[in-house]
Amino acid sequence: MPLSDTTIKAAKPKEKAYKITDEKGMFLLVQPSGGKYFRLKYYFANKEKSLALGVYPETSLKQAREKRDIARKQIAEGIDPNEYKKATKAARVQDIENSFEVVAREWGSKKVTNWDDKSNRNKRMLEKNIFPWLGHRPIKDILPFEILTCLRRIEERGAIETAHRTLQICGQVFRYAVATTRIDRDITADLRGALQSVKGGHFASITDPKELAPLVFVRPSELTHAEWSHIDFEAKEWRYLVTKTQTQHIVPLSNQAINILNAIQPITGHGKYVFPSARTPNGSRAMTSEALLAGLRRMGFGNTEMTVHGFRATARTILDEVLKFRPDFIEHQLAHDVRDPNGCSYNRTAHLEERHKMMQDWADYLDSLKLIV
């Protein structure tokens, strides 16, 4: 006789587990503890097997029978329902492990300096604008219009620049997902031109090197031709070939410099140069020194290239006379030829630890000037 709710409710536990049969291989297993479990007995590849269909009363008799019928259909199609169940569970786990938020936080921890700081702008933008709506979604299932919907919310607040920056950050996350074989392509590329234009050109100023120039005091052409591949965020170093002397040079990067680069990376990180030319949106050409000079002139800093070189002279004087660093540390950092007592040039790593400290102290000194002003 088939099972009924009355029969199930009336079933009492015994000293040993026992079965009450239903139809089509389904039965109720009553345990000595009082637990009541729906099961399906079936044969697959000439082997007797059992499939769990749920626990009563959380799973009703009707629901258990629906699961039974689905399983019997799978068996008829040559699918083992137990293996299918395991595969489905594994897929769900994989989706959770590869949700947008999980992938984004993994990207941030590996690629963004100071990611765990509460003040990290990239992290804050994602947490405020993307995670609440798409964070739980498997990154492979997210569609361009869903990203755009989140960005429209930002635009509605009037934060147009933030919408652009958030799109750039999402692009970084999707490209990381491509690199780690979670997805096949960066879908944010489909949203190019979809956002409102930033009025007044303020967004472009984020990629202006004039904010970084005083912190690193390198030659103008070296700054404008900085390449992302030469920036080591983990070591906090910028390593490149000095064009004037054709020698390798290392610029230790202060926390302030790293923060600026982190703000720029979502915008220009897809290309070769940190500061690309405005005429090449793909980042294939670097900004010219003349563009840097023009930016400085707009800030009221005169009209000659000596203005940019002036940062180097100023740094040399203050590091020596105010911050009291050794002259040879300073000359090394200026990429000047410094020789040891035997007349041999020091290698590029000379006094690197001390230079790291010097560059941080210099950045902190510049911050103190802002407070005075």
Side-chain angles (χ1 to χ4, degrees):
M1 179 180 291
L3 282 169
S4 67
D5 284 320
T6 301
T7 304
I8 296 172
K9 290 176 182 177
K12 303 298 181 183
K14 298 180 181 179
E15 187 175 343
K16 293 184 178 180
Y18 66 96
K19 301 176 182 178
I20 303 177
T21 59
D22 186 46
E23 299 175 313
K24 302 175 183 178
M26 192 175 96
F27 61 89
L28 182 73
L29 178 65
V30 183
Q31 295 283 9
S33 62
K36 299 173 182 179
Y37 302 84
F38 292 113
R39 295 285 189 270
L40 173 65
K41 176 182 175 181
Y42 70 98
Y43 290 88
F44 194 87
N46 296 321
K47 292 183 180 180
E48 181 179 319
K49 295 189 174 186
S50 177
L51 176 68
L53 300 175
V55 182
Y56 186 86
E58 287 80 7
T59 300
S60 68
L61 176 59
K62 180 181 178 181
Q63 290 171 330
R65 284 172 172 165
E66 289 173 350
K67 292 180 180 180
R68 174 202 64 192
D69 293 341
I70 291 172
R72 285 171 57 84
K73 184 177 180 181
Q74 290 172 338
I75 294 167
E77 294 173 351
I79 300 170
D80 185 338
N82 264 310
E83 294 304 315
Y84 180 84
K85 187 176 181 180
K86 290 177 185 177
T88 302
K89 183 178 180 180
R92 284 198 299 268
V93 170
Q94 187 176 38
D95 283 347
I96 293 171
E97 291 177 347
N98 292 309
S99 68
F100 182 86
E101 182 169 351
V102 168
V103 175
R105 291 188 184 280
E106 181 182 318
W107 163 78
S109 66
K110 292 179 182 294
K111 300 295 183 180
V112 181
T113 302
N114 300 325
W115 169 257
D116 292 327
D117 290 357
K118 292 182 180 179
S119 61
N120 189 282
R121 294 180 67 191
N122 294 338
K123 186 177 182 180
R124 289 204 323 270
M125 285 183 184
L126 290 173
E127 289 178 338
K128 182 178 181 180
N129 302 314
I130 304 296
F131 290 170
W133 292 275
L134 298 178
H136 67 286
R137 293 282 309 285
I139 193 167
K140 65 180 178 62
D141 293 340
I142 294 175
L143 299 174
F145 86 88
E146 294 177 288
I147 296 286
L148 183 59
T149 300
C150 292
L151 299 176
R152 290 285 187 243
R153 293 189 184 97
I154 305 173
E155 288 184 325
E156 289 169 3
R157 304 198 307 259
I160 309 304
E161 292 183 15
T162 299
H164 281 268
R165 294 177 196 172
T166 303
L167 175 58
Q168 295 287 349
I169 295 169
C170 288
Q172 295 273 35
V173 174
F174 274 93
R175 287 190 288 277
Y176 175 77
V178 172
T180 53
T181 68
R182 268 96 158 208
I183 56 176
D184 295 328
R185 60 182 289 268
D186 169 20
I187 64 168
T188 65
D190 296 346
L191 299 178
R192 188 170 298 144
L195 298 179
Q196 297 178 37
S197 299
V198 180
K199 297 179 181 179
H202 297 299
F203 186 58
S205 68
I206 300 170
T207 61
D208 196 324
K210 62 180 181 288
E211 296 292 334
L212 193 59
L215 293 170
V216 293
F217 52 84
V218 296
R219 296 176 179 89
S221 62
E222 292 163 359
L223 179 60
T224 56
H225 283 76
E227 298 182 23
W228 283 114
S229 61
H230 297 165
I231 306 294
D232 187 334
F233 282 91
E234 186 173 347
K236 293 185 177 182
E237 292 175 354
W238 170 23
R239 299 179 175 226
Y240 65 92
L241 185 69
V242 178
T243 53
K244 185 175 181 179
T245 60
Q246 292 299 298
T247 57
Q248 291 291 326
H249 184 49
I250 302 174
V251 179
L253 298 171
S254 63
N255 292 332
Q256 291 89 331
I258 289 291
N259 287 338
I260 291 173
L261 290 168
N262 275 332
I264 296 171
Q265 191 176 42
I267 302 166
T268 68
H270 62 281
K272 177 180 179 180
Y273 294 104
V274 178
F275 306 111
S277 168
R279 298 180 179 179
T280 55
N282 64 358
S284 61
R285 291 174 55 194
M287 178 184 291
T288 64
S289 298
E290 288 74 17
L292 173 57
L293 284 169
L296 290 167
R297 283 198 296 273
R298 287 192 296 271
M299 295 175 68
F301 282 105
N303 60 4
T304 69
E305 189 169 353
M306 289 304 296
T307 300
V308 184
H309 278 293
F311 289 135
R312 292 166 62 80
T314 300
R316 172 191 278 167
T317 300
I318 294 176
L319 287 169
D320 179 18
E321 299 180 3
V322 179
L323 300 181
K324 306 298 183 184
F325 280 95
R326 280 173 38 179
D328 55 332
F329 294 177
I330 302 169
E331 294 302 311
H332 273 298
Q333 203 48 60
L334 289 166
H336 290 163
D337 186 29
V338 182
R339 298 181 179 274
D340 63 20
N342 297 318
C344 299
S345 295
Y346 283 104
N347 64 41
R348 61 178 179 155
T349 61
H351 309 300
L352 190 54
E353 183 177 351
E354 294 88 347
R355 285 157 54 197
H356 267 277
K357 182 181 185 305
M358 180 177 72
M359 296 299 278
Q360 185 59 56
D361 285 359
W362 167 245
D364 293 340
Y365 175 80
L366 292 178
D367 277 351
S368 72
L369 296 181
K370 294 179 186 177
L371 295 176
I372 294 173
V373 175

